[in-house]
Amino acid sequence: MSTMIKLDSISKTYHMGEEDVHALQGLHLELQRNQYVAIMGPSGSGKSTLMNIIGCLDTPTSGLYELNGINVSEMNDNQLAKIRNKEIGFVFQTFNLLARSDVLHNVELPLIYGGVASAERKRLARESIERVGLTDRAHHKPNELSGGQRQRVAIARALVTHPSILLADEPTGNLDSKTGEEIMGLFDILHREGNTIILVTHEEDIAAHAHRIVRIRDGKVERDEPNKKRKVVTIPSTVMA
Amino acid sequence: MRYYFSEFKEGMLIAFQAIRANKMRSVLTTLGIVIGIVSVTLMGTAIEGLDRAFNKSIAAIGADVLYVQKWPWGGGHDWWTIRNRKDIRIQHAKVIERQATLAKSVSPVTATRRNVKYERKVVESVVIMGTDADFTETSGATIAFGRFLTPAEADGGRPVCALGSEVAVNLFPNENPIGKVVKVGNYAYRVVGVFDKQGSFLGMESLDNRVYVPINRFFKEFMSGRGGISVFVKAASLQQVDDAKEEVRGILRKARGLKPKQQDDFAINQQEIIIQTFNTIGVVIAGVGLFITGLSLFVGGIGIMNIMLVSVSERTKEIGLRKAIGATSRAVLLQFLIEAVIVSVVGGVIGILIGAGSSLLLSKISGWAVYISPFSVALAFGFSAGVGIVFGFWPAKKASLLSPIEALRYE
Ligand SMILES: Nc1ncnc2c1ncn2[C@@H]1O[C@H](COP(=O)(O)OP(=O)(O)OP(=O)(O)O)[C@@H](O)[C@H]1O
Ligand SMILES: [Mg+2]
């Protein structure tokens, strides 16, 4: 298996007036292609900070970050934008959909910034929408959808560029447990199809879907082990449709 | 290239969505630009209308006529030097008439004001012109009925006159004036002809409120002061105006006994000088107009800037999301610039329509030859787009520089 993500002595310090907040302190982490990792840890331990660095939304204060063998810790804004566009699929806790645009346009959005031609864009977007089982909702606005459906749209948007890695920071945090389970079922399928997935969660139930669990405390990896009691879910019919 | 195109299209789409979502706000913002552009359009129309009206007046007077006078037209001359010049006299007109080969016709002209009476009707302060029989040819003015002074009447100083159309209408509302005797000042003149309507010069002095009498009689009956005259010289053709001017100049210098080193002690005026004077005035009017217009566009622009700043901070989270999925700073900058330009250009188009509408209305009311030039429309359009770019730039730049992570966190 090839190393996809390599984090070496990553530190992130926020300056808050007089005092410095050390969100990450010399963190090491390696990740192979098609792994399915859950990151857990107490609130304020640096999980989101780590995800943002992996997702190239933020840059570390020090340390080395290689994505697919490329050193991204020294890239400029434009290069980072391109990496985010092509290599990263981000799923947020709060969905972050454009309220005024329909599902199709929301999903198309990364391709627009990737310069994909219109017809090809529509084709890829529809394909991605189909994968999350929302074909019949393609022309609905986000406020006409349920929370679970919105998160699926966000996942479709993350998938549409066929990124190297899917990052989900508490993707079920705003959903009830049943809907959360459905979304996790979708992640399981995406993993089986060959996607690499990192998700942050507070819930053991959610983490149970992953193949590997990384526990973080005080900006460092506390424990990193394979998930022995992996949960096998029955796949909801909506996703199979 | 493809990037720009899809980003551009996305920018347009977002802009229209944003405008639609905030209709009232957009309308109010646009209003500032509308007002600015209306004033641009009206200003352009007014200046051009003035220009056209002026050129029309000039054409009526004749661009091929030289006016030999003591006083040069336009300002900026040494008043005392010119005042002390010898007058232009009738014999100068005669010399020019005899010697100038490039002159089609030459007329001595002098003028004063008198009341003109017929029976109980009086027209006050009419311009009384003393001239000779060639005047119709020299000036290009035409006779409506009757005839102009004959050479015999003019040279012999007979008490006959021709009336301008306005004077004729006022004194003879229901009568044929030909053959009637009017009193010009205290002297009786028999009417031999009436001029066609000539209009007014720039809407100021009517060319029809005049009475033409033989210059020799004029000298006896109306001459006051030192008795200088003007000499109107019509060039053989429009192309020969400059040559004719040189010829007349040479003849006059000799007639007035000037030595080669001495400066001319007379002026040969041309419409061109009026045109120049007018252009100077035009520049001043345009300058003032530009300032007012610029001010209103500036205020409109500030409105745009303000609303774009609001728009950017309202959509901080959206900007963060767009950046998170790969929008570059350039794409975000473009998006907000497009929005600013659209708001501004929509205002511009509405402004042009209103401006054009009120220009047409203005022309109906004032009878001015108002004309909406494609140039002023293009100018207004360009201005509104320019205002959008200039005043939208800072907010757009601000948006583009947001860090994605901070923008996403923004509540
Ligand atoms: N922009 C910031 N400015 C200042 N401090 C920050 C900033 N972002 C994060 N921090 C601090 O860094 C530390 C790690 O934050 P982070 O958001 O990564 O925690 P987390 O593990 O995701 O917590 P949670 O489970 O509550 O989401 C916290 O102490 C937080 O206060
Ligand atoms: Mg967090």
Side-chain angles (χ1 to χ4, degrees):
Chain A
M1 275 202 287
S2 60
T3 300
M4 176 177 273
I5 285 174
K6 190 174 160 200
L7 295 167
D8 191 5
S9 316
I10 293 289
S11 293
K12 179 74 185 181
T13 306
Y14 294 106
H15 304 283
M16 296 295 289
E18 296 288 280
E19 61 181 310
D20 288 350
V21 179
H22 301 283
L24 296 176
Q25 313 187 49
L27 181 139
H28 294 272
L29 189 67
E30 278 195 31
L31 206 73
Q32 267 72 41
R33 185 170 298 284
N34 196 217
Q35 281 197 331
Y36 189 177
V37 182
I39 296 177
M40 300 195 71
S43 186
S45 56
K47 305 182 295 293
S48 293
T49 306
L50 175 61
M51 289 293 263
N52 292 338
I53 288 174
I54 295 175
C56 294
L57 286 172
D58 211 348
T59 47
T61 312
S62 67
L64 184 77
Y65 171 21
E66 276 182 13
L67 177 64
N68 291 325
I70 302 161
N71 182 4
V72 288
S73 28
E74 279 162 4
M75 283 189 167
N76 66 25
D77 280 356
N78 266 337
Q79 292 168 315
L80 287 176
K82 194 162 179 182
I83 296 277
R84 289 198 291 270
N85 187 251
K86 302 262 186 279
E87 306 294 339
I88 313 282
F90 227 113
V91 178
F92 304 91
Q93 182 176 346
T94 54
F95 322 136
N96 283 333
L97 300 175
L98 299 182
R100 291 197 277 266
S101 301
D102 65 8
V103 168
L104 185 65
H105 188 77
N106 267 289
V107 175
E108 242 187 311
L109 210 55
L111 300 174
I112 289 173
Y113 293 116
V116 178
S118 175
E120 175 72 353
R121 225 156 58 202
K122 294 270 186 305
R123 191 182 68 74
L124 289 169
R126 284 184 202 284
E127 196 179 280
S128 196
I129 291 167
E130 197 183 331
R131 278 166 86 188
V132 301
L134 284 177
T135 303
D136 56 340
R137 294 283 189 275
H139 294 291
H140 287 232
K141 298 276 169 66
N143 63 3
E144 298 161 353
L145 302 174
S146 71
Q149 287 171 326
R150 288 184 207 184
Q151 195 58 298
R152 282 161 194 249
V153 176
I155 293 169
R157 180 180 64 195
L159 286 173
V160 76
T161 55
H162 296 285
S164 302
I165 187 163
L166 266 180
L167 301 175
D169 192 347
E170 305 196 43
T172 61
N174 276 20
L175 303 174
D176 62 58
S177 56
K178 185 172 157 289
T179 318
E181 274 304 316
E182 276 176 31
I183 293 296
M184 289 317 296
L186 180 55
F187 276 115
D188 291 352
I189 293 171
L190 294 173
H191 171 246
R192 224 170 297 143
E193 288 173 0
N195 286 289
T196 312
I197 299 170
I198 307 179
L199 61 88
V200 168
T201 182
H202 282 116
E203 297 169 57
E204 296 291 344
D205 270 3
I206 298 295
H209 287 263
H211 293 202
R212 175 181 165 192
I213 298 179
V214 176
R215 290 176 198 276
I216 291 185
R217 184 177 293 275
D218 299 331
K220 280 187 212 113
V221 176
E222 182 191 43
R223 211 134 48 90
D224 182 353
E225 55 195 7
N227 181 9
K228 276 156 238 147
K229 337 165 261 192
R230 204 163 81 74
K231 193 169 178 178
V232 181
V233 285
T234 49
I235 296 153
S237 56
T238 48
V239 177
M240 293 306 283
Chain B
M1 197 55 223
R2 216 171 56 212
Y3 284 83
Y4 282 112
F5 186 66
S6 45
E7 280 171 15
F8 186 77
K9 256 176 68 181
E10 175 70 8
M12 296 284 277
L13 186 81
I14 302 162
F16 278 117
Q17 281 179 345
I19 291 165
R20 219 174 334 141
N22 302 299
K23 285 195 199 73
M24 198 58 200
R25 193 166 89 186
S26 308
V27 165
L28 291 177
T29 309
T30 300
L31 207 60
I33 298 295
V34 170
I35 292 168
I37 293 301
V38 167
S39 65
V40 171
T41 324
L42 282 183
M43 211 58 188
T45 306
I47 289 171
E48 255 178 75
L50 209 60
D51 222 29
R52 280 164 173 267
F54 182 80
N55 284 333
K56 231 170 116 185
S57 299
I58 288 293
I61 293 172
D64 52 355
V65 179
L66 301 169
Y67 302 84
V68 180
Q69 289 164 321
K70 180 167 158 182
W71 292 90
W73 294 350
H77 305 284
D78 179 9
W79 192 84
W80 273 105
T81 315
I82 293 168
R83 207 202 83 96
N84 289 332
R85 283 175 171 177
K86 282 186 286 177
D87 282 323
I88 310 281
R89 299 196 163 275
I90 194 99
Q91 64 265 27
H92 296 125
K94 297 232 165 72
V95 174
I96 295 169
E97 187 151 25
R98 266 200 311 277
Q99 296 183 0
T101 57
L102 296 173
K104 189 186 268 174
S105 70
V106 177
S107 299
V109 176
T110 182
T112 184
R113 283 179 189 272
R114 288 289 187 278
N115 294 348
V116 180
K117 279 177 263 179
Y118 175 66
E119 292 178 344
R120 314 199 58 183
K121 290 186 278 290
V122 183
V123 183
E124 286 182 358
S125 193
V126 177
V127 175
I128 312 302
M129 309 271 289
T131 187
D132 70 0
D134 291 336
F135 182 80
T136 43
E137 165 130 52
T138 314
S139 70
T142 47
I143 292 289
F145 44 93
R147 54 173 176 78
F148 194 59
L149 316 175
T150 62
E153 285 166 345
D155 296 342
R158 308 298 308 152
V160 292
C161 70
L163 305 180
S165 63
E166 197 179 316
V167 178
V169 167
N170 287 330
L171 289 182
F172 301 95
N174 314 308
E175 275 179 88
N176 181 356
I178 307 295
K180 303 285 182 333
V181 174
V182 295
K183 277 198 115 180
V184 179
N186 300 319
Y187 303 96
Y189 282 81
R190 189 166 51 82
V191 178
V192 295
V194 175
F195 276 89
D196 276 318
K197 190 169 164 51
Q198 292 185 66
S200 60
F201 185 71
L202 278 180
M204 296 180 299
E205 190 192 0
S206 169
L207 300 177
D208 299 313
N209 190 31
R210 289 182 171 177
V211 172
Y212 298 82
V213 301
I215 194 164
N216 289 339
R217 198 162 190 91
F218 184 103
F219 284 137
K220 279 183 227 134
E221 296 180 342
F222 309 119
M223 183 56 79
S224 56
R226 312 199 300 159
I229 64 161
S230 299
V231 183
F232 290 13
V233 181
K234 191 186 184 75
S237 74
L238 200 55
Q239 288 71 40
Q240 287 169 292
V241 173
D242 289 337
D243 294 337
K245 187 175 182 178
E246 274 317 299
E247 191 184 39
V248 168
R249 185 165 167 253
I251 294 167
L252 264 185
R253 283 185 66 89
K254 219 171 125 209
R256 289 163 77 91
L258 294 178
K259 308 226 166 57
K261 288 251 166 66
Q262 276 180 296
Q263 288 199 318
D264 290 351
D265 61 351
F266 54 90
I268 302 178
N269 294 314
Q270 272 176 282
Q271 301 301 355
E272 205 176 293
I273 295 174
I274 295 191
I275 293 171
Q276 278 166 10
T277 309
F278 171 77
N279 282 344
T280 318
I281 298 168
V283 164
V284 172
I285 294 175
V288 172
L290 217 64
F291 179 75
I292 294 168
T293 303
L295 209 63
S296 58
L297 274 179
F298 183 76
V299 171
I302 295 288
I304 294 228
M305 188 186 274
N306 184 34
I307 223 63
M308 289 313 295
L309 285 172
V310 170
S311 188
V312 168
S313 78
E314 262 180 7
R315 276 147 63 194
T316 304
K317 200 152 184 175
E318 178 196 316
I319 295 165
L321 181 266
R322 287 178 187 276
K323 286 197 140 187
I325 61 169
T328 55
S329 298
R330 179 196 67 203
V332 174
L333 181 84
L334 191 68
Q335 170 190 332
F336 282 95
L337 265 188
I338 288 172
E339 188 173 326
V341 169
I342 286 178
V343 169
S344 189
V345 164
V346 166
V349 169
I350 296 173
I352 291 166
L353 292 179
I354 295 178
S358 34
S359 294
L360 287 177
L361 207 68
L362 195 77
S363 83
K364 282 252 158 62
I365 294 168
S366 70
W368 256 28
V370 170
Y371 165 81
I372 300 130
S373 73
F375 175 74
S376 67
V377 171
L379 196 74
F381 199 82
F383 260 131
S384 56
V387 165
I389 291 171
V390 169
F391 290 89
F393 191 82
W394 182 52
K397 187 76 194 169
K398 218 177 128 178
S400 77
L401 291 178
L402 285 171
S403 110
I405 198 72
E406 258 147 50
L408 272 172
R409 264 170 201 276
Y410 184 87
E411 289 307 326

